[in-house]
Amino acid sequence: MKTFLETVLAQADYQPVRLLTILREVQAQYRHIPAEAITLLAEALHIPRTQIISVVEFYSFLHLTPQGSYDILISDSITDRMLDKENLLSYLSSVLKVKVGEVRGDGLVSLNNTSCTGMCDQGPAGLVNGLALTRLDRPKIDEIAALIDQQKPLGEWPAHLFEVSDNIHKAGLLLNLPTDKGAAIKAAYNRGIAATLDEIDRSGLRGRGGAGFKTAMKWRFCADEKSDVHYVVCNADEGEPGTFKDRVLLNSYADQVFEGMTLAAAIIGAKQGFLYLRGEYQHLYSKLQAILQQRRSEGLLGNNILELGLDFDIEICLGAGAYICGEESALIESLEGKPGIPRNRPPYPVTSGYLNKPTVVNNVETFLAAGKIAVHGGAWFSGFGTEKSAGSKILSICGDCAEPGIYEYPFGISIRQILHDCGAEDVLGVQIGGPSGTFISNREFDRQLAFEDLATGGSFIVFNNSRNIFEITQNFIHFFAHESCGFCTPCRVGTSLLKKQLDKIVDGHGSAGDVVELESLCQLVKNNSHCGLGQTAANPILSTLQRYPDLYERQLKDISYEPGFDLDGALEVARRMAHRDDAAAHLSQVED
């Protein structure tokens, strides 16, 4: 083990900020993080053991106890459930002879659920040792079970099991316009760096992650910060269920994304950039490293880029399964080798980001757009979209439609047009912006996709009239309760209470008072949580309760009160200790 760790540490230059990368290597080698490895890493990196343990416990892809040699995770996104995921998981469990959430007795295989893996256009999906599995069905499961029984190395598994398609159905402003390598950098230097920032300002480009902060303003704030070091970070941790556009952009447009990052570096004065790639996209890691190396060999990264006196390089950091790391300050914490817990703000990353230095954090689509603007100008970009939402938006469309995949539209497009294009019929409603966004009913399809109406980071999930509103809402609320980082009480406790209270109503045990309490809890979590996860966690309930109050009302029982947990079950331990099981030792769960 010591020799292996020394190799891994040497590759990481013994830098504690690369702890997550180091731990991913250890996890892959030993299928968990052994106690001995924690001790050796703590000594080598000069950090406390407790820091390493806290990182291992925070990320869902790291474990303190051994997982199977074949560690299988099945995506529990709502779209996977709509594609019969539950029955497939049960079948997989039976053929592999391992229960969900457990490791088989011989240690060969482990099986569990995981949050959305970013394959909602080709589910049901999963991961085996971090590599994406798509379009799972019973024949594929039989094939996978046979390969595992033969203990066939993953490298020898048939390629079709790992096939990931781009599924681009509608290309627009950004996807239809190829750009030569280096064109954005050359254009920026020909125009002048300051003038290029002005051009991005004139374009009206706003961050494509959903919040919509003006990109030029963010870059100017960062550039104006007096510091010896600045950083550029590309947020490719798209964990919002239903979102997968960054996967496609990095698979087919990575050069242009890296070009946008290099442009940002020239403007803010950064020499180092990071691509934070979500752990579920491990299959892209080697390909992206090769593209970076190619850009270095072509003089597009490294020292004196294109002989313009610009020094800049990019490092890829692979996440390890934590939705919260999509929040920019949590992502920065993760880049520094810590648990991804959101920071208190202010200060914002533009003044105190990575290693407390000025840092620009934008998502993949934003950097892609910025590079195009440098080449074609601000007027070209602002000529599309609406007054407040310039340019286009790339959508990840999935759910009940004929052609799930990638669609690019100018802002201002109606929801009705989008549904027509993707072949959605008999539609009940659409979840815009993922679970943290807004659910709209079929009475709102003339609304527009735009920051001033329906903003989205890219997720667009279609539900037809065969779907159950409560099953959708439950899936989203359970997701938030699972993904809460636990840092602040309103989110940690609040999302758990939301889950229990909603389950109680959905299970038919709720009263009118429970709905009032549910709304009150929603407001508490929304208004008092530390970061965006908690502040949006109640949205699935609030948006469906607003649109379908009659559904909630029909779900209620005609009672004044019923407890939100199993009172009688809670006394089971006491009964065993007292050796009693008579009627008087039980409590009635509901009023008579």
Side-chain angles (χ1 to χ4, degrees), residues 500 504 562-572 575 586-590:
K500 288 182 178 177
K504 179 184 175 184
E562 184 175 314
F565 58 93
D566 183 0
L567 281 172
D568 190 59
L571 290 173
E572 180 57 32
R575 280 194 293 271
H586 288 268
L587 287 175
S588 174
Q589 182 74 7
V590 298

Side-chain angles (χ1 to χ4, degrees), residues 267-307:
I267 289 174
I268 70 168
K271 296 184 184 300
Q272 179 66 53
F274 298 95
L275 174 74
Y276 189 96
L277 182 66
R278 71 177 305 214
E280 289 80 353
Y281 294 166
Q282 182 182 320
H283 67 285
L284 291 174
Y285 182 78
S286 297
K287 179 176 183 176
L288 292 170
Q289 289 286 18
I291 292 172
L292 288 178
Q293 190 54 42
Q294 182 67 26
R295 289 185 69 83
R296 291 185 190 106
S297 67
E298 294 172 349
L300 297 166
L301 282 176
N303 294 327
N304 196 22
I305 292 171
L306 296 176
E307 299 183 349

Side-chain angles (χ1 to χ4, degrees), residues 249-387:
L249 295 181
L250 290 171
N251 186 51
S252 298
Y253 298 83
D255 250 312
Q256 296 173 49
V257 175
F258 293 143
E259 186 103 350
M261 293 178 67
T262 309
L263 173 71
I267 289 174
I268 70 168
K271 296 184 184 300
Q272 179 66 53
F274 298 95
L275 174 74
Y276 189 96
L277 182 66
R278 71 177 305 214
E280 289 80 353
Y281 294 166
Q282 182 182 320
H283 67 285
L284 291 174
Y285 182 78
S286 297
K287 179 176 183 176
L288 292 170
Q289 289 286 18
I291 292 172
L292 288 178
Q293 190 54 42
Q294 182 67 26
R295 289 185 69 83
R296 291 185 190 106
S297 67
E298 294 172 349
L300 297 166
L301 282 176
N303 294 327
N304 196 22
I305 292 171
L306 296 176
E307 299 183 349
L308 294 168
L310 172 64
D311 300 337
F312 180 66
D313 212 332
I314 297 171
E315 180 177 327
I316 300 174
C317 176
L318 198 55
Y323 166 77
I324 190 60
C325 288
E327 197 276 341
E328 62 179 5
S329 68
L331 184 152
I332 290 170
E333 288 285 298
S334 184
L335 272 179
E336 294 180 356
K338 304 171 189 171
I341 295 173
R343 295 177 176 176
N344 288 322
R345 298 189 298 177
Y348 293 93
V350 289
T351 58
S352 182
Y354 180 67
L355 300 179
N356 298 320
K357 299 294 184 181
T359 303
V360 154
V361 183
N362 280 119
N363 81 349
V364 174
E365 187 181 348
T366 309
F367 283 118
L368 175 73
K372 303 276 187 183
I373 292 165
V375 175
H376 300 286
W380 161 79
F381 191 78
S382 63
F384 298 86
T386 70
E387 183 181 351

Side-chain angles (χ1 to χ4, degrees), residues 148-169:
I148 290 174
D149 283 344
Q150 297 164 23
Q151 300 191 35
K152 187 86 76 177
L154 287 186
E156 298 178 20
W157 284 26
H160 73 90
L161 293 173
F162 304 107
E163 185 177 321
V164 178
S165 308
D166 277 356
N167 290 329
I168 299 176
H169 295 297

Side-chain angles (χ1 to χ4, degrees), residues 66-97:
Q67 301 303 291
S69 300
Y70 297 91
D71 184 28
I72 298 179
L73 301 173
I74 300 299
S75 174
D76 196 32
S77 174
I78 185 66
T79 54
D80 292 292
R81 284 180 170 247
M82 289 157 64
L83 293 167
D84 203 29
K85 169 259 171 179
E86 286 291 85
N87 284 328
L88 285 174
L89 178 63
S90 177
Y91 182 65
L92 183 59
S93 172
S94 67
V95 296
L96 290 176
K97 298 180 177 58

Side-chain angles (χ1 to χ4, degrees), residues 12 18 27 43 53 99 104 122 149 168 185 263 304 312 336 360 373 382-383 426 444 480 503 522 548 561 572 584:
R18 291 181 175 144
Q27 175 73 40
E43 292 173 357
I53 293 171
K99 292 181 180 177
R104 203 166 77 181
Q122 43 207 298
D149 283 344
I168 299 176
I185 304 168
L263 173 71
N304 196 22
F312 180 66
E336 294 180 356
V360 154
I373 292 165
S382 63
D426 191 29
E444 304 171 76
F480 283 121
D503 287 352
C522 286
Y548 305 101
Y561 170 73
E572 180 57 32

